[in-house]
């Protein structure tokens, strides 16, 4: 390693510490301002030209908002329609009436597992928030419940969505590793599904039950009112049936699942593949979900179009701040990436002598933690190990792709957009968000690595 590599790594570490200090100290700076200030500081500290710093800020914020901002806005509209129509109330009642309080985290894990097959982490969380808040609000009203019901219900969802996002194709991370290492989707998917089960159980229902007793986290009241209804409000409505409500809530996931299946079964240049790719794009799928919910749950049942429009407009106000903070996280991530922190991490890993499966996990982990991008972690690790993968026929490439995906999940923190989404959605402090999403994803990541090493002792698939 060169002195410049060491300086870059120290700068990245210092930037995270300064960011946390600005937010949690007496200064109590708004996260968006803190993210922008620290990003500019990193730019100057690493020798960037002022014009380049500004370009990285705008590109990082714009890219992140372009990827998830509109989808989050559409998800807020869908959640508002589901809440106002009484759908989430009925779904929550259906879960609670057939599940004991102790089994609720397991039921939520199963729902998130299904939704997480086709959906990105942030998109899946947006879709699940109305159900999380509705179930948790009812659970909170039970006098016997101790701790934070929202953490108790939400952590299993975070765990399942994270496990599916990092371990199972057709999510972009695993697919990128598969393509770079020139391996196949089938075995990687089978390994990923099996490895995800213990990982999301450890990080979800088990850890959630432990940590929720020690927290009092409660989302902002405006966000709660947007995504939930009280029993009295629901009683005054002619709520749709559970089946129609489930279809409306899951339609975006179903469209993305069709796209995922088409990627594995259809030729890339076929007309059917192009249609599936268009309908299964997260933005298009969420838009179609909102339109279906608006017509099926409101307009076709005699609802007022003007009230529907007002409700969807109001749904954007509570999440506007969340989207801007996520954009700030994207700017911070882009500056770190442009400063070549990832190259310094790669040079650092050259100092280690580890088996390829462990080394792939380590490189992806370090790149993801330092740059705030799981994609950078996966691309960097897969690219670095691709020559080894081609030269060593004894290496189990599907397991190497899985280990890289698992490594990219570790310790999602302040330079990750997902961290800010969880923190702001649940109304958490920095410490509370660290105890939830950062620790949960670390548990999932380490459990995934352990499963990879165990799989490597068995005869390989394919």
């Amino acid at each position: 390693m060169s002195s410049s590599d060491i300086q870059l790594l120290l700068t990245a570490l210092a930037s995270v510490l300064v960011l946390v200090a600005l937010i949690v100290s007496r200064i109590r700076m708004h996260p968006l301002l803190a993210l922008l200030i620290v990003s500019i500081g990193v730019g100057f500290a690493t020798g960037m030209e002022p014009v380049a710093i500004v370009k990285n800020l705008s590109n990082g914020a714009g890219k992140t908002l372009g990827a998830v901002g509109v989808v989050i806005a559409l998800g807020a509209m869908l959640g508002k329609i589901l809440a106002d129509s009484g759908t989430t109330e009925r779904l929550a009642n259906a879960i609670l009436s057939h599940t004991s309080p102790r089994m609720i985290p397991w039921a939520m894990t199963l729902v998130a597992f299904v939704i997480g097959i086709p959906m990105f982490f942030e998109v899946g969380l947006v879709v699940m928030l109305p159900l999380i808040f509705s179930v948790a609000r009812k659970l909170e009203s039970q006098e016997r419940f101790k701790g934070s019901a929202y953490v108790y219900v939400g952590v299993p969802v975070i765990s399942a969505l994270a496990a599916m996002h990092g371990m199972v194709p057709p999510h972009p991370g695993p697919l990128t590793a598969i393509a770079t290492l020139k391996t196949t989707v089938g075995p990687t998917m089978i390994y990923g599904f099996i490895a995800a089960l213990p990982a999301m159980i450890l990080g979800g229902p088990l850890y959630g039950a432990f940590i929720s007793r020690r927290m009092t986290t409660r989302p902002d009241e405006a966000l709660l009112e947007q995504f939930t209804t009280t029993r009295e409000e629901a009683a005054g409505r002619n709520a749709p049936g559970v089946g129609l409500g489930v279809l409306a809530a899951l339609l975006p996931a179903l469209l993305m699942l069709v796209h995922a299946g088409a990627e594995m079964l259809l030729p890339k240049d076929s007309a059917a593949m192009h249609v599936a790719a268009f309908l299964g794009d997260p933005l298009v799928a969420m838009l179609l979900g909102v339109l279906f919910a608006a017509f099926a749950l409101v307009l076709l049942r005699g609802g007022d179009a003007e009230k529907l429009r007002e409700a969807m407009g109001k749904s954007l106000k509570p999440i506007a701040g969340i989207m801007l903070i996520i954009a700030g996280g994207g700017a911070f991530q882009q500056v770190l990436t442009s400063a070549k922190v990832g190259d310094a991490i790669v040079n650092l890993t050259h100092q280690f002598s580890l088996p390829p499966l462990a080394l792939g996990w380590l490189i992806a982990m370090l790149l993801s933690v330092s740059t705030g991008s799981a994609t950078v972690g996966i691309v960097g690790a897969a690219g670095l190990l691709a020559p080894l993968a081609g030269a060593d026929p004894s290496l189990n490439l599907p397991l190497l792709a899985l280990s890289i995906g698992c490594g990219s999940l570790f310790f999602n923190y302040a330079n990750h957009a997902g961290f800010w989404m969880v923190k702001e959605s649940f109304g958490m402090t920095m410490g509370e968000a660290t105890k939830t999403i950062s620790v949960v994803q670390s548990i999932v990541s380490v459990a995934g690595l352990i499963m990879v090493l165990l799989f490597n002792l068995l005869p390989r698939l394919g």
Side-chain angles (χ1 to χ4, degrees):
M1 290 183 66
S2 66
S3 59
S4 62
D5 290 333
I6 296 174
Q7 183 179 352
L8 278 175
L9 295 177
L10 292 175
T11 300
L13 176 61
S15 68
V16 173
L17 295 177
V18 171
L19 175 65
V20 174
L22 289 175
I23 295 172
V24 304
S25 68
R26 290 184 179 181
I27 300 175
R28 295 296 186 205
M29 186 173 287
H30 190 278
L32 175 60
L33 295 178
L35 284 163
L36 293 177
I37 289 172
V38 170
S39 299
I40 293 172
V42 170
F44 281 119
T46 55
M48 286 186 194
E49 295 291 332
V51 174
I53 295 174
V54 174
K55 184 177 180 180
N56 280 312
L57 290 178
S58 58
N59 286 349
K63 183 168 63 176
T64 302
L65 275 183
V68 300
V70 178
V71 173
I72 291 173
L74 291 170
M77 291 182 178
L78 178 59
K80 182 65 172 174
I81 294 171
L82 294 173
D84 284 358
S85 65
T87 300
T88 49
E89 176 76 11
R90 294 200 65 168
L91 293 178
N93 285 337
I95 290 176
L96 291 171
S97 63
H98 294 88
T99 310
S100 66
R102 184 171 295 181
M103 294 302 296
I104 284 174
W106 298 87
M108 297 300 290
T109 300
L110 178 60
V111 175
F113 173 80
V114 174
I115 286 194
I117 293 174
M119 284 193 169
F120 297 172
F121 176 84
E122 290 87 356
V123 181
L125 185 60
V126 168
V127 170
M128 289 292 293
L129 277 180
L131 189 58
I132 294 171
F133 288 175
S134 295
V135 172
R137 194 170 196 173
K138 288 180 173 294
L139 196 60
E140 184 183 44
S141 65
Q142 299 179 6
E143 294 182 359
R144 292 178 298 174
F145 189 85
K146 305 297 182 183
S148 171
Y150 300 91
V151 173
Y152 185 69
V153 177
V155 160
V157 172
I158 293 170
S159 177
L161 292 176
M164 301 306 290
H165 185 81
M167 298 185 190
V168 181
H171 287 284
L175 282 181
T176 300
I178 289 168
T180 305
L181 298 173
K182 295 181 172 57
T183 185
T184 51
V185 172
T188 309
M189 178 173 282
I190 294 172
Y191 283 133
F193 271 122
I194 299 173
L197 293 175
M200 67 186 186
I201 288 172
L202 288 171
L206 298 184
Y207 179 70
F210 166 78
I211 195 63
S212 62
R213 300 192 198 103
R214 295 159 175 78
M215 296 177 69
T216 57
T217 298
R218 197 171 193 273
D220 181 76
E221 194 62 35
L223 207 58
L224 276 181
E225 291 177 359
Q226 172 173 316
F227 284 143
T228 63
T229 53
T230 64
R231 183 173 299 178
E232 292 75 16
E233 290 173 330
R237 295 174 183 157
N238 180 23
V242 173
L244 181 60
V246 169
L247 177 60
L250 295 185
L251 182 59
L254 294 175
L255 291 172
M256 293 183 206
L257 189 58
V258 169
H259 177 208
E263 284 188 316
M264 292 182 287
L265 301 175
L266 297 178
K268 290 185 177 180
D269 294 330
S270 66
M273 181 64 224
H274 288 306
V275 172
F278 174 74
L279 296 178
D281 181 85
L283 192 152
V284 175
M286 288 299 297
L287 175 61
L288 293 175
V290 171
L291 294 176
F292 177 81
F295 280 97
L297 303 182
V298 181
L299 299 178
L300 295 182
R301 300 173 64 84
D304 189 305
E306 185 60 31
K307 288 184 178 180
L308 174 63
R309 176 181 171 177
E310 291 177 3
M312 287 196 287
K314 290 179 180 178
S315 71
L316 300 178
K317 294 179 181 178
I319 55 98
I322 296 176
M323 290 195 295
L324 290 175
I325 291 171
I326 290 173
F332 186 31
Q333 171 193 318
Q334 184 64 48
V335 170
L336 289 172
T337 302
S338 297
K340 305 297 184 183
V341 172
D343 292 347
I345 290 292
V346 170
N347 293 334
L348 173 65
T349 59
H350 289 158
Q351 314 302 314
F352 300 107
S353 179
L354 293 171
L357 296 180
L359 185 61
W361 182 92
L362 179 66
I363 295 172
M365 180 271 286
L366 291 173
L367 286 172
S368 177
V369 170
S370 60
T371 65
S373 171
T375 301
V376 170
I378 289 172
V379 171
L384 191 65
L385 295 178
L388 176 62
D392 185 0
S394 67
L395 186 58
N396 191 323
L397 297 186
L399 285 184
L400 181 58
L402 179 58
S403 72
I404 290 171
C406 292
S408 72
L409 294 173
F410 190 86
F411 205 71
N412 184 310
Y413 198 53
N415 51 352
H416 285 73
F419 175 89
W420 294 104
M421 185 170 179
V422 170
K423 177 186 178 299
E424 297 301 316
S425 296
F426 286 85
M428 295 176 172
T429 64
M430 291 291 289
E432 290 171 336
T434 304
K435 292 175 185 176
T436 50
I437 182 170
S438 300
V439 173
V440 166
Q441 294 211 185
S442 298
I443 293 172
V444 170
S445 176
V446 173
L449 174 63
I450 292 172
M451 292 299 295
V452 165
L453 299 178
L454 291 176
F455 288 147
N456 198 44
L457 301 176
L458 304 174
R460 70 174 63 190
L461 296 175

